[in-house]
Amino acid sequence: MVDLDLEKFFGRVCHDKLMAKIAARVSDPRLLKLIRAFLRAGVMQGGRVSPVDEGTPQGGPLSPLLRNLVRDEFDRELERRGHRFARYADESNIYVRSRRAGERVMKSLTRYIRTKLQLPVNEQKSAVAQPWERKFLGFRFTRFGPPKRRMAPKAAKRCKERVRELTRRTRGISIERMAKELAPYLRGGIGYFGKCETLAVLHSLEEWTRRRLRSAIWKQWKRGKVRFAELRQRGVGQDLAAPTAGSAHGPWRLTNSPALRVALPNAYFATLGIPRLTVR
């Protein structure tokens, strides 16, 4: 696989070349003037507007379309050469039969991008490698057996960082509010990574998230008497509730204890609106 990444693609698009491409498709001078004004609107930093001579505003509603117009020429070149590829924004994956072919394609396409499109290639992020060694839009292929889509390790790490931030025990908010803030993020993750063909990573992330919530709840109960009363009220026997409530172990270790699994089962988190990551 040839993994090509363009360096600072959002900020390096030539306005004149872009407008020439748009003019080839659009004849209305008023629309062309409006698009040119959008490109040259500038960026506000520290309360001051700085003019821009190249690039498309990152986050602007029109920018994705304009950037695709720039990359359309590259897509057509890949099709002309008969390559199998996938592209999104500034990331491209071209699939070849061997490493030697990949190195040849990498060299040829890098030269084409620099000379024809006048865009720089990010050599640190670009590489020729096996498909299971690289990620694309947060996904990676499995190595053994028929190739399957899986969640890339870096994507899983970023997801954990966000969940850790939302479920921090020192936030000082109720578990209901915590769940309300966490649920939309998890639903968004399901909407994107729900297409994974291997559920092991999602299952692990799901269990880890529930442990984070159990840990936050245990911390909120604070004292041994409160913890004992809460455990008993939630159906935990006295023989199990007493040693758990008086345990010197920290919240994270106790999240896997039998008492907390009985008191705070998966069904409880469902009532808080926490979605399952592995339910299709």
Side-chain angles (χ1 to χ4, degrees):
M1 183 179 78
V2 179
D3 189 356
L4 269 173
D5 187 272
L6 299 188
E7 186 175 5
K8 298 180 180 179
F9 176 57
F10 300 115
R12 299 297 293 271
V13 175
C14 176
H15 287 178
D16 292 335
K17 290 194 65 175
L18 175 56
M19 290 305 302
K21 290 180 180 296
I22 298 173
R25 299 166 181 255
V26 177
S27 58
D28 188 342
R30 295 170 301 174
L31 182 56
L32 294 174
K33 183 178 180 180
L34 183 63
I35 294 174
R36 172 72 78 169
F38 170 81
L39 291 171
R40 304 195 66 179
V43 178
M44 179 174 287
Q45 294 179 330
R48 300 182 61 182
V49 178
S50 303
V52 292
D53 299 321
E54 61 180 1
T56 58
Q58 190 165 357
L62 191 60
S63 295
L65 174 60
L66 298 180
R67 289 193 289 267
N68 273 333
L69 284 174
V70 175
R71 292 300 301 268
D72 183 66
E73 185 177 349
F74 180 63
D75 293 346
R76 299 295 168 260
E77 178 65 17
L78 292 176
E79 291 175 351
R80 187 187 68 80
R81 298 187 185 192
H83 289 309
R84 295 185 178 184
F85 67 95
R87 180 188 69 79
Y88 185 85
D90 57 339
E91 292 189 50
S92 301
N93 284 176
I94 301 96
Y95 303 96
V96 295
R97 294 184 179 275
S98 66
R99 181 173 293 275
R100 176 179 291 183
E103 292 172 351
R104 183 174 64 250
V105 169
M106 170 71 85
K107 184 176 180 180
S108 174
L109 291 178
T110 298
R111 182 169 59 249
Y112 175 84
I113 292 171
R114 286 174 174 168
T115 58
K116 186 72 175 178
L117 302 182
Q118 297 180 6
L119 292 170
V121 174
N122 191 329
E123 296 185 358
Q124 292 184 342
K125 293 186 177 180
S126 301
V128 176
Q130 297 290 353
W132 58 80
E133 296 175 343
R134 307 291 291 182
K135 67 178 181 67
F136 183 59
L137 304 178
F139 288 92
R140 180 178 285 186
F141 287 117
T142 55
R143 178 173 182 177
F144 301 105
K148 294 182 179 180
R149 293 183 304 274
R150 60 165 296 187
M151 191 177 185
K154 285 188 177 180
K157 182 180 179 181
R158 285 196 300 269
C159 185
K160 276 192 170 184
E161 288 173 353
R162 180 58 178 158
V163 172
R164 185 179 286 111
E165 180 182 340
L166 291 171
T167 59
R168 200 171 61 247
R169 298 195 300 265
T170 57
R171 292 190 65 193
I173 61 175
S174 67
I175 193 64
E176 289 78 15
R177 180 180 170 186
M178 188 179 291
K180 187 176 181 180
E181 294 178 3
L182 177 63
Y185 177 75
L186 294 178
R187 282 195 293 269
I190 297 169
Y192 190 82
F193 290 107
K195 298 298 183 181
C196 285
E197 296 176 297
T198 57
L199 299 181
V201 176
L202 291 180
H203 181 71
S204 174
L205 183 61
E206 187 177 62
E207 286 192 337
W208 180 84
T209 300
R210 287 196 293 263
R211 287 190 68 184
R212 290 285 305 179
L213 291 170
R214 289 190 184 103
S215 180
I217 294 171
W218 189 251
K219 186 73 174 179
Q220 289 179 1
W221 288 347
K222 294 183 179 179
R223 296 184 299 276
K225 288 184 178 180
V226 176
R227 290 171 174 174
F228 178 78
E230 289 284 354
L231 292 175
R232 293 288 291 134
Q233 186 178 354
R234 294 167 186 266
V236 180
Q238 182 172 345
D239 292 344
L240 186 59
T244 305
S247 175
H249 295 307
W252 183 252
R253 179 166 177 175
L254 288 174
T255 55
N256 264 343
S257 66
L260 281 185
R261 286 190 172 274
V262 171
L264 302 171
N266 298 348
Y268 168 72
F269 297 112
T271 63
L272 293 177
I274 300 297
R276 295 288 303 272
L277 302 182
T278 53
V279 174
R280 297 296 179 92

